[in-house]
Amino acid sequence: SLEDSVNKNITLEDIFISVKTSRHYQTSRLPVILKTWFQLAKEQTWFFTDVDNPLHQNQTNGHMINTHCPSYHQPKHLCCKTSMEYDHFLDSGKKWFCHFDDDNYVNIPRLVAVLQRYDHRLDWYLGRQSVNRPVYVNYQKKKILYFRFGTGGAGYCISRSLALKMSPIASGGRFMSVCEGIRMPDDVAIGFIIEQLLKVNITEVPEFHSHLEQMKLLPLNKLRDQISFGFFWKKNYKDTINAVNVPGFNARYDPTRFLSLHCFLFPYFQFCKLIRR
Ligand code: UDP
Ligand code: MN
């Protein structure tokens, strides 16, 4: 059918991938991404940070964008970065906007394959809910509104058609006012705009994952099918490591398991030769 032929035309070239990061994770999170999945989507991936780092600017061929947003984990600050991610997507002219956090591993070929199932000329909000029920916000002190949202920590994708419909509400920095209006983080605000204001429902895509799930429960023979993975680790909390269970490098060298995961998926990478077998 026409539908099929159009969708198969979607390639990596059509996707704008944004990664939210910050000065706090320049040494702990960014290098792993740059070494692994970024190498498979160098032209399509952009990092939104809050610092100038010539080394990273060089390693990414100028794909680090200093948003000059404040650097902390406050809804306002995160919304500031997401607002820039969205505006850059609009300017890019690409067909899909996909956001990820810097503690995500993104399985690039799988992302492309899944997007080929959907038509970017229709309204699509693809993601994974953090909790399996709607959230609610107090809106303008008048009423309580319920809606669903895709958790930013698992990644979400928005078709160009839908992104354009969000534009009067969210473009040119207006997204930040929406965040402030509902006093919620950026991913909740995205859900609020799409589900509540535009009346478009999220489509649950179970291949998106965040560290809100137990990563070790993903079976080895299913890893290749997933779009994104999460990682969580807190200093001095040995038991709270949440990472993909995959053989490869030792846990001290590769605590996130993202290097090992990358070698499991793409064993031809040079650095994978260092795995002791
Ligand atoms: N982040 C940030 N500044 C901060 C903390 C976090 O920009 O001070 C970004 C971080 O780079 C990541 C996202 O916000 O992309 C989510 O942060 P994190 O994974 O630390 O926390 P979570 O929201 O998953 O608990
Ligand atoms: Mn996180």
Side-chain angles (χ1 to χ4, degrees):
S1 68
L2 175 69
E3 220 38 19
D4 286 340
S5 60
V6 169
N7 290 347
K8 289 213 183 83
N9 285 336
I10 289 287
T11 68
L12 184 53
E13 292 298 301
D14 300 313
I15 311 174
F16 180 90
I17 301 172
S18 69
V19 178
K20 191 195 314 293
T21 188
S22 98
R23 64 183 69 200
H24 309 295
Y25 299 122
Q26 291 185 90
T27 56
S28 57
R29 294 183 180 183
L30 199 60
V32 179
I33 296 178
L34 296 185
K35 193 171 176 172
T36 59
W37 67 264
F38 172 71
Q39 295 301 322
L40 299 172
K42 280 180 165 181
E43 297 299 319
Q44 296 76 24
T45 306
W46 297 86
F47 296 93
F48 291 79
T49 187
D50 44 50
V51 69
D52 287 318
N53 182 324
L55 171 70
H56 290 152
Q57 200 58 273
N58 189 269
Q59 288 176 333
T60 61
N61 192 24
H63 279 223
M64 304 288 313
I65 293 168
N66 185 349
T67 59
H68 297 282
C69 294
S71 72
Y72 297 100
H73 195 262
Q74 295 172 23
K76 225 178 156 171
H77 301 173
L78 299 179
C79 287
C80 175
K81 278 180 192 153
T82 303
S83 185
M84 304 273 281
E85 293 176 45
Y86 170 72
D87 281 341
H88 274 78
F89 164 72
L90 289 182
D91 290 344
S92 76
K94 304 262 178 176
K95 295 173 180 166
W96 286 96
F97 170 42
C98 295
H99 158 93
F100 296 95
D101 279 355
D102 59 3
D103 53 359
N104 281 137
Y105 178 94
V106 184
N107 185 3
I108 295 294
R110 190 62 185 151
L111 174 67
V112 176
V114 170
L115 291 183
Q116 285 175 345
R117 292 195 224 131
Y118 303 92
D119 189 338
H120 68 278
R121 298 163 307 179
L122 303 177
D123 298 340
W124 290 110
Y125 174 31
L126 311 175
R128 185 188 192 99
Q129 292 185 78
S130 57
V131 283
N132 236 343
R133 57 187 152 74
V135 292
Y136 68 89
V137 297
N138 284 301
Y139 191 51
Q140 296 175 342
K141 290 183 181 165
K142 280 184 292 202
K143 44 181 176 180
I144 294 174
L145 302 174
Y146 292 87
F147 56 90
R148 300 180 300 165
F149 72 98
T151 185
Y156 54 80
C157 295
I158 297 171
S159 63
R160 182 150 201 97
S161 165
L162 180 54
L164 289 173
K165 285 188 183 151
M166 296 166 66
S167 167
I169 308 161
S171 69
R174 276 173 285 216
F175 180 73
M176 283 190 276
S177 324
V178 177
C179 284
E180 284 187 38
I182 60 171
R183 298 171 180 280
M184 285 283 173
D186 55 319
D187 50 0
V188 182
I190 294 273
F192 172 75
I193 293 170
I194 297 176
E195 283 229 332
Q196 187 63 47
L197 301 182
L198 297 176
K199 303 292 177 202
V200 172
N201 289 332
I202 187 170
T203 299
E204 282 270 352
V205 175
E207 289 95 336
F208 286 106
H209 299 283
S210 78
H211 56 66
L212 296 173
E213 302 157 59
Q214 286 282 318
M215 282 297 102
K216 66 178 181 209
L217 296 182
L218 290 172
L220 205 56
N221 65 353
K222 293 276 156 56
L223 295 183
R224 199 169 291 281
D225 301 335
Q226 311 309 314
I227 295 173
S228 60
F229 304 85
F231 166 73
F232 182 83
W233 175 74
K234 219 168 196 165
K235 242 185 196 151
N236 304 325
Y237 287 88
K238 268 202 161 153
D239 296 338
T240 61
I241 287 186
N242 182 2
V244 179
N245 184 16
V246 60
F249 298 102
N250 72 49
R252 226 175 39 161
Y253 177 71
D254 182 23
T256 69
R257 306 313 290 154
F258 287 169
L259 297 175
S260 301
L261 174 62
H262 188 75
C263 290
F264 177 80
L265 298 173
F266 310 101
Y268 58 85
F269 267 62
Q270 275 300 317
F271 76 84
C272 300
K273 290 197 177 123
L274 300 172
I275 293 179
R276 292 211 188 93
R277 291 171 204 281

